[in-house]
Amino acid sequence: MGKYTLIASCALAAAATFASADDVKKRTAAMDQIRMGAATLVPVIKGDKEFDAQVADLALRMTYAGALAFEGKFPEGSTSKGANPAIWENKADFDSKVLEFISNAEAAVAMQPNDLLSLQSAYQPLLKNCAACHKAYRIKN
Ligand code: HEC
């Protein structure tokens, strides 16, 4: 291997590492935003906190934005402590779960829930998405 080939491949490897560290940061930040949405909405749908249409709308929009930001942040090799390697073994299934979550979140915002019952039916599909995807693809540390 020539000297310049070596330097070039080291530079490429470093670039790949930085790119994936950035992806991990972006996707965990997106999930944190989704978690904040859940922290707001779960007590409401359980009946522990009063329904407020504006708060619900904001939390659903946050969730939708988080879901959009989460998408596409799992390039090959962007491993992390929280990501199950099964993601890259079943990438098509993982991607379809992400897209389903995005479309459920979009639908929930569009429903504009105006009472507890409509919020429950808007948000419950999303909670099922969290559970199903985490079971298969997240390592809880
Ligand atoms: C399509 C898959 C998928 C869905 C749907 C999903 N998650 Fe996640 N979630 C993940 C993966 C994968 C990680 C680990 C990411 C990593 O650490 O690189 C994660 C990590 C997290 C984390 C930890 C973030 C951190 O700071 O490390 C929280 C909190 C979280 N998810 C909450 C939720 C909630 C709440 C929902 C539903 C409203 C949800 N997730 C829906 C796949 C998903």
Side-chain angles (χ1 to χ4, degrees), residues 37-38 41-42 44-46 51-53 55-61 63-64 67 100-130:
L41 293 170
V42 170
V44 179
I45 67 169
K46 280 186 174 163
F51 174 84
D52 178 313
V55 171
D57 181 60
L58 199 69
L60 289 174
R61 282 175 196 279
T63 306
Y64 178 41
E100 191 191 329
F101 184 57
I102 291 174
S103 92
N104 283 339
E106 185 181 18
V109 171
M111 277 183 219
Q112 300 192 299
N114 57 4
D115 60 14
L116 178 57
L117 223 69
S118 55
L119 178 65
Q120 283 169 337
S121 58
Y123 194 61
Q124 256 143 6
L126 296 176
L127 288 175
K128 287 199 182 123
N129 292 149
C130 323

Side-chain angles (χ1 to χ4, degrees), residues 81-82 134 138-141:
K81 265 172 54 180
H134 285 180
R138 179 186 175 200
I139 295 169
K140 209 165 178 186
N141 295 289

Side-chain angles (χ1 to χ4, degrees), residues 23-25 27-39 63 70 73-74 78-84 87-88 93-102 123 126-134 137-139 141:
D23 283 318
V24 172
K25 233 166 74 182
R27 74 198 187 208
T28 50
M31 273 296 152
D32 279 337
Q33 186 175 329
I34 291 164
R35 174 182 53 81
M36 283 192 266
T63 306
F70 186 72
K73 301 300 185 299
F74 289 83
S78 64
T79 53
S80 67
K81 265 172 54 180
N84 191 320
I87 290 171
W88 294 279
D93 178 62
F94 177 75
D95 287 345
S96 80
K97 282 184 161 58
V98 175
L99 291 182
E100 191 191 329
F101 184 57
I102 291 174
Y123 194 61
L126 296 176
L127 288 175
K128 287 199 182 123
N129 292 149
C130 323
C133 190
H134 285 180
Y137 297 120
R138 179 186 175 200
I139 295 169
N141 295 289

